Amino acid sequence: MSTTKPSIGFCGLGAMGFGMATHFVERGYIVKGFDISQASLDRFEQAGGVPVATLQESAEGNDFYICMVATAQQAQSAIFDDAKPIIKGLPNGATLLLCSTVPATYAQSVAQQLQQLGRSDISLIDCPVSGGAARAVNGTLTIMAGASPEAIAKGQWLLKEMSGENKLFIVDGGIGQGSNMKMVHQVLAAIHILAASEGMGLAVKLGLDPRIVVERVNGSAAWSWMWENRTTRMLNEDYYPGVSALTIILKDVCIVTSQARATTFPVPLSSLAEQVYFSALNQGYGPHDDAGVLRIYHNTSLSQTPQSWLSEDEVNKRTNLVITLLTNIHLLAAAEALSFARHLGIPLDQLYGLAVDAAGGSHSLRDVGKLMIRGLSGNEKNWMGVCTHNLDTVVTDLAEVVGAAQDLKMPLFLGNAVLGAFLGVRMRFGGDIGEAAVLKAYVQ
Amino acid sequence: MSTTKPSIGFCGLGAMGFGMATHFVERGYIVKGFDISQASLDRFEQAGGVPVATLQESAEGNDFYICMVATAQQAQSAIFDDAKPIIKGLPNGATLLLCSTVPATYAQSVAQQLQQLGRSDISLIDCPVSGGAARAVNGTLTIMAGASPEAIAKGQWLLKEMSGENKLFIVDGGIGQGSNMKMVHQVLAAIHILAASEGMGLAVKLGLDPRIVVERVNGSAAWSWMWENRTTRMLNEDYYPGVSALTIILKDVCIVTSQARATTFPVPLSSLAEQVYFSALNQGYGPHDDAGVLRIYHNTSLSQTPQSWLSEDEVNKRTNLVITLLTNIHLLAAAEALSFARHLGIPLDQLYGLAVDAAGGSHSLRDVGKLMIRGLSGNEKNWMGVCTHNLDTVVTDLAEVVGAAQDLKMPLFLGNAVLGAFLGVRMRFGGDIGEAAVLKAYVQ
């Protein structure tokens, strides 16, 4: 371990933050960490970190500071409003990384507040992260960073320490665009997390063996990072404390819908996911892992749900219903994320490159996203005619899934919303267009 | 009592059927009634009816027969498939009124089966009813009847006995169009029932006095028949057995969404209502009154929910959020019902006249429905410019409601879906159009 490495200030030792902070400890940095939970501080000390008693102390003498609290409200308190805040401790010319997921407008207000307080010496980087606790520990996170070129130059080495190879995305547009990039990525994440529960709920109600369905979906066009990741916890019914609390993705999707309302853009699938998450919150699932939203669809323990005896043909047929459902939810999620990104001036190729290999990844995005980006560019006339599956086929297949769920008397929130959106596009343009044209649900 | 009145056969002595059958008893008819429940038969006998032991017996010797079972499956069993079915008892030349709410395709299959069995002597009328148990008892139901002119001529007197003044609607198009008319009416009913719970849930969470909100909404543009009717049961928390079970409207909305899928038409609000009803069903609310769906939004007893102390200004402001929510849900419900009706070839003026004073009635339909019908006629160029509230104003107001619900961490399923649909229309046509133009969510 080299002792010439600079010491780093850190606040927010939650699931993600603890992983990030201990990653630096393991890489030989002195990390001064603060958290409001004494248990987290103790755990941090055991992991080799230096726990401190105030935010101000965690900043003192550190030219680099990472803020990884959960919300904009917490960040505001930690940086400015606390009795002994970060701002009082940060040395002249320090670099402050705001890694929390916050609205872009909040990140911009941090820059303004620094200026108003006469602390323009501080280089602020708006750099939310993605990838989950395991990648935080390994230093292979995806990071979306917006800032002035000067700030990026100062902080880039730190961002690189935390991020995987080709996982650091410097987003054009300065402070705010890192958060906006994360936000549009979370459009995918929020919809895919609910989709995983909806797909698994359907599978179980169809009498399928959940372990086999997980494998089959993972090897199909319906794959998503969230499906692969969340279903492992569903299979083990490992919801509490879990890895990522429902309240976290709910907070993120609330940022999506608020910013969409503020800019009069429709995000119907994100909105719907938010409503289902609020329902789950009201049922007491807030502190549980978001994979536990499965219980909205199927509230009997998986291990106690009898599986039907089914012929191999019938297993294939029913598994295909689940695959059709997920593929098409992911397809419309891609359209929602990409079109919202364009609306916000986010570089689409960068979003694609980032999301396809991150927590928002899906084969639908991978396979159809580039064509959607060409459609959104406005430079290509015939993109709607490009066709792997035509819309009429997609509608027929998805209608069968929706009908099957109806027969099972189970809610299929996303499946029904997606079918409705597809039918709306079909009404306007006919059914003889490619599946990428579902983008038209979001653009003129 | 005159004994020259013909005797009537009847099956299905549930909430509605019992009222209809006893209405005939009170009007001096001999009514031979059958039900699978002995308790219902006993109650029917006490009310002066003639209980019989088989369906066949209930039909024997009766030139007029009313089938008021709950579902198409039950109707199929009662008329044809039972060991002693209605068809075996019905005398030559009898008139058979199918009053159950069934898919139009099922009503058409009854006609085909009669023909195949060589019973074309029977005059079938496809005549679902609406209006609730109280109007059934009073003989003031709304009835939507489709049949051959000959069958209508024979059965009209009976339809008139059951229906209120100007509440009997003979729908052009023969067998099936009575059911289709009922179905598009139930688009309104199904959405408005959920809207009543969503509006009341929001009101209570906003700290408003539910009794005052009920009054204010009843006197506002947000009035609907369902709001006025269902909120009385919410205020009394009178959900079981209640008046109209959740399973009834759920069955009706399943007919709506199945027929919409079969004819590739989007009915996003009906679909969403169905998913929320399925959620409520899974929480055990199926046998309860549909007003009890309130508990999806607010699961604390109303009488135990503390009201906030609020200034009169604040009460007005918050009540207006509820009024805005309901007015706009009803507005899009009107668009969904009218455009689906046109898609099915249902006469729109007739639907309007029927629904505006029936269980599907709302001031939004009353105030904007005629303009929407002009828009759907295709003969009027400038209907989208006609404007009481322009779309931008509507979007701004509704976004405020959705934001308030988000701050309260409560689901607002319909409110969010309606805002999404409005934003979709705004994206295509701009915000400087009239509110009736939200119809464009359903038409090219």
Side-chain angles (χ1 to χ4, degrees):
Chain A
M1 292 206 296
S2 156
T3 53
T4 61
K5 291 185 176 176
S7 78
I8 296 168
F10 201 102
C11 73
L13 299 167
M16 289 289 286
F18 188 85
M20 291 160 69
T22 51
H23 168 68
F24 281 110
V25 170
E26 280 171 23
R27 301 276 292 157
Y29 294 88
I30 293 166
V31 184
K32 290 191 199 165
F34 177 81
D35 197 280
I36 53 165
S37 149
Q38 186 60 45
S40 295
L41 285 174
D42 293 347
R43 208 157 67 98
F44 184 57
E45 187 167 19
Q46 282 158 28
V50 181
V52 295
T54 69
L55 289 153
Q56 186 174 334
E57 275 183 76
S58 71
E60 277 164 0
N62 290 322
D63 285 330
F64 296 93
Y65 196 95
I66 297 171
C67 176
M68 190 53 201
V69 295
T71 66
Q73 287 77 4
Q74 290 174 13
Q76 178 63 24
S77 173
I79 302 172
F80 300 110
D81 297 348
D82 189 81
K84 296 186 171 180
I86 293 165
I87 188 74
K88 281 203 187 156
L90 273 187
N92 197 277
T95 303
L96 172 60
L97 275 62
L98 180 58
C99 290
S100 308
T101 297
V102 298
T105 46
Y106 177 70
Q108 287 156 353
S109 92
V110 172
Q112 283 161 7
Q113 291 176 79
L114 288 174
Q115 198 168 27
Q116 283 159 8
L117 293 169
R119 292 301 307 265
S120 300
D121 60 289
I122 294 172
S123 295
L124 176 67
I125 304 180
D126 162 35
C127 52
V129 305
S130 176
R135 289 195 188 176
V137 173
N138 299 335
T140 56
L141 289 168
T142 298
I143 306 186
M144 297 134 270
S148 68
E150 297 74 30
I152 293 289
K154 285 172 76 176
Q156 196 152 18
W157 69 272
L158 198 56
L159 296 166
K160 281 186 179 162
E161 280 280 24
M162 295 189 281
S163 56
E165 209 178 326
N166 301 319
K167 296 292 184 201
L168 172 59
F169 295 85
I170 310 295
V171 189
D172 284 346
I175 295 290
Q177 287 301 69
S179 288
N180 272 336
M181 179 65 94
K182 168 84 192 254
M183 179 176 71
V184 293
H185 177 269
Q186 292 309 85
V187 167
L188 298 165
I191 298 167
H192 293 182
I193 286 170
L194 186 61
S197 280
E198 190 161 308
M200 181 59 96
L202 178 64
V204 176
K205 291 221 188 266
L206 284 168
L208 295 166
D209 179 334
R211 283 171 202 282
I212 293 175
V213 172
V214 167
E215 254 174 59
R216 295 256 185 115
V217 170
N218 281 341
S220 80
W223 175 87
S224 72
W225 191 95
M226 288 296 182
W227 169 268
E228 185 172 343
N229 185 271
R230 266 39 177 192
T231 50
T232 58
R233 299 206 279 284
M234 293 180 202
L235 292 177
N236 297 324
E237 300 180 59
D238 171 24
Y239 301 139
Y240 190 78
V243 176
S244 190
L246 174 63
T247 46
I248 299 292
I249 192 63
L250 178 52
K251 174 186 73 73
D252 288 3
V253 78
C254 283
I255 294 175
V256 169
T257 60
S258 311
Q259 298 290 104
R261 282 199 303 280
T263 60
T264 54
F265 192 82
V267 287
L269 290 191
S270 301
S271 279
L272 180 56
E274 181 191 298
Q275 308 322 303
V276 179
Y277 292 150
F278 275 134
S279 294
L281 185 76
N282 290 342
Q283 291 183 43
Y285 300 151
H288 294 207
D289 195 279
D290 57 37
V293 171
L294 172 61
R295 292 166 293 182
I296 288 280
Y297 294 97
H298 181 77
N299 46 22
T300 308
S301 162
L302 283 197
S303 55
Q304 283 162 23
T305 303
Q307 285 150 37
S308 313
W309 184 89
L310 298 170
S311 68
E312 189 53 32
D313 266 7
E314 197 58 29
V315 167
N316 291 340
K317 209 178 116 190
R318 296 186 190 192
T319 304
N320 282 337
L321 295 176
V322 179
I323 288 172
T324 299
L325 173 69
L326 291 170
T327 307
N328 287 301
I329 295 171
H330 300 157
L331 180 71
L332 198 64
E336 187 158 310
L338 290 169
S339 55
F340 190 30
R342 187 190 61 165
H343 180 70
L344 296 166
I346 296 284
L348 298 186
D349 287 323
Q350 199 175 31
L351 169 59
Y352 178 90
L354 181 164
V356 114
D357 290 325
S362 73
H363 283 350
S364 291
L365 175 67
R366 183 195 67 185
D367 297 343
V368 190
K370 285 202 170 160
L371 183 55
M372 287 180 175
I373 293 172
R374 277 152 57 195
L376 285 166
S377 74
N379 299 326
E380 187 154 335
K381 285 263 184 255
N382 296 323
W383 69 277
M384 286 176 67
V386 180
C387 197
T388 312
H389 306 93
N390 87 353
L391 185 57
D392 267 339
T393 310
V394 171
V395 161
T396 303
D397 292 349
L398 187 56
E400 193 187 340
V401 180
V402 165
Q406 188 181 53
D407 291 343
L408 292 163
K409 298 187 186 299
M410 70 171 283
L412 203 76
F413 286 104
L414 290 171
N416 273 277
V418 169
L419 179 61
F422 287 4
L423 288 172
V425 171
R426 184 183 176 282
M427 177 193 74
R428 288 165 60 199
F429 301 101
D432 194 20
I433 52 179
E435 60 192 334
V438 299
L439 191 66
K440 282 290 186 183
Y442 301 92
V443 297
Q444 202 167 16
Chain B
M1 294 211 294
S2 156
T3 52
T4 61
K5 290 185 176 176
S7 77
I8 297 168
F10 202 103
C11 73
L13 299 167
M16 289 290 286
F18 189 84
M20 291 159 70
T22 52
H23 168 68
F24 281 110
V25 170
E26 279 171 25
R27 301 275 293 155
Y29 294 89
I30 292 166
V31 184
K32 290 192 198 163
F34 177 81
D35 197 278
I36 52 163
S37 149
Q38 187 59 45
S40 295
L41 284 173
D42 293 347
R43 208 158 65 99
F44 184 57
E45 187 166 20
Q46 281 158 28
V50 181
V52 295
T54 68
L55 288 153
Q56 186 174 334
E57 273 184 75
S58 73
E60 276 165 0
N62 289 322
D63 285 331
F64 296 93
Y65 196 95
I66 298 172
C67 177
M68 189 54 201
V69 294
T71 67
Q73 286 77 3
Q74 291 174 14
Q76 179 63 23
S77 173
I79 302 172
F80 299 111
D81 297 348
D82 189 81
K84 296 186 171 180
I86 292 164
I87 189 73
K88 282 203 186 155
L90 274 188
N92 197 275
T95 303
L96 172 60
L97 276 62
L98 180 57
C99 290
S100 307
T101 297
V102 297
T105 46
Y106 176 71
Q108 287 156 353
S109 92
V110 172
Q112 283 162 5
Q113 290 176 80
L114 288 173
Q115 200 169 25
Q116 284 158 6
L117 293 168
R119 292 301 307 265
S120 301
D121 60 286
I122 294 171
S123 295
L124 176 66
I125 305 180
D126 163 35
C127 52
V129 305
S130 174
R135 288 194 190 177
V137 173
N138 299 335
T140 56
L141 289 167
T142 296
I143 305 186
M144 296 134 272
S148 68
E150 299 72 30
I152 294 289
K154 284 172 77 176
Q156 194 153 21
W157 69 272
L158 198 57
L159 295 167
K160 281 185 177 163
E161 280 280 23
M162 294 189 282
S163 57
E165 210 178 324
N166 302 319
K167 297 289 185 202
L168 173 59
F169 294 84
I170 310 294
V171 189
D172 285 347
I175 296 290
Q177 286 301 68
S179 288
N180 271 336
M181 179 65 96
K182 169 84 193 252
M183 180 177 70
V184 293
H185 177 269
Q186 293 309 86
V187 168
L188 298 166
I191 299 167
H192 293 182
I193 286 169
L194 186 61
S197 280
E198 189 160 309
M200 181 61 96
L202 177 63
V204 175
K205 293 225 188 262
L206 284 167
L208 294 167
D209 179 334
R211 284 172 201 281
I212 293 176
V213 172
V214 167
E215 255 174 57
R216 295 256 186 114
V217 170
N218 282 340
S220 80
W223 175 87
S224 72
W225 191 94
M226 287 297 181
W227 169 268
E228 185 171 343
N229 185 271
R230 268 33 177 195
T231 50
T232 59
R233 299 205 278 285
M234 293 180 203
L235 292 176
N236 298 324
E237 299 178 59
D238 171 24
Y239 301 138
Y240 190 78
V243 177
S244 191
L246 173 62
T247 47
I248 299 293
I249 193 65
L250 178 52
K251 174 186 71 73
D252 288 4
V253 78
C254 282
I255 294 175
V256 169
T257 59
S258 311
Q259 297 291 105
R261 280 198 304 279
T263 60
T264 54
F265 191 82
V267 288
L269 291 190
S270 301
S271 280
L272 180 57
E274 182 191 297
Q275 307 323 305
V276 178
Y277 292 150
F278 275 134
S279 294
L281 185 75
N282 290 342
Q283 291 184 43
Y285 300 151
H288 294 205
D289 195 280
D290 58 38
V293 172
L294 172 61
R295 291 166 294 183
I296 289 279
Y297 295 97
H298 182 77
N299 47 20
T300 308
S301 160
L302 283 197
S303 55
Q304 283 163 19
T305 303
Q307 284 150 39
S308 312
W309 185 89
L310 299 169
S311 68
E312 188 55 32
D313 266 9
E314 197 58 30
V315 167
N316 291 340
K317 208 179 116 190
R318 296 186 189 193
T319 304
N320 281 338
L321 295 176
V322 178
I323 287 172
T324 298
L325 173 70
L326 292 170
T327 307
N328 287 302
I329 296 172
H330 300 157
L331 179 71
L332 198 64
E336 185 158 311
L338 289 168
S339 55
F340 190 30
R342 187 190 62 165
H343 180 70
L344 296 166
I346 296 284
L348 298 186
D349 287 324
Q350 199 176 31
L351 169 60
Y352 178 90
L354 181 164
V356 113
D357 291 326
S362 72
H363 283 350
S364 291
L365 175 66
R366 183 195 66 185
D367 297 342
V368 189
K370 285 202 169 161
L371 181 55
M372 286 180 174
I373 292 171
R374 278 153 56 197
L376 284 167
S377 74
N379 299 325
E380 189 156 334
K381 284 262 183 252
N382 297 321
W383 69 275
M384 285 176 68
V386 179
C387 197
T388 311
H389 306 92
N390 87 353
L391 185 57
D392 268 339
T393 310
V394 170
V395 161
T396 305
D397 291 350
L398 188 56
E400 193 187 341
V401 179
V402 166
Q406 189 181 52
D407 291 343
L408 292 163
K409 298 185 185 302
M410 71 173 281
L412 202 76
F413 287 103
L414 291 171
N416 274 278
V418 169
L419 179 60
F422 287 5
L423 287 172
V425 172
R426 184 183 175 281
M427 176 193 74
R428 289 167 58 199
F429 301 100
D432 194 21
I433 51 178
E435 60 193 331
V438 299
L439 190 65
K440 282 289 187 183
Y442 301 92
V443 297
Q444 204 168 15

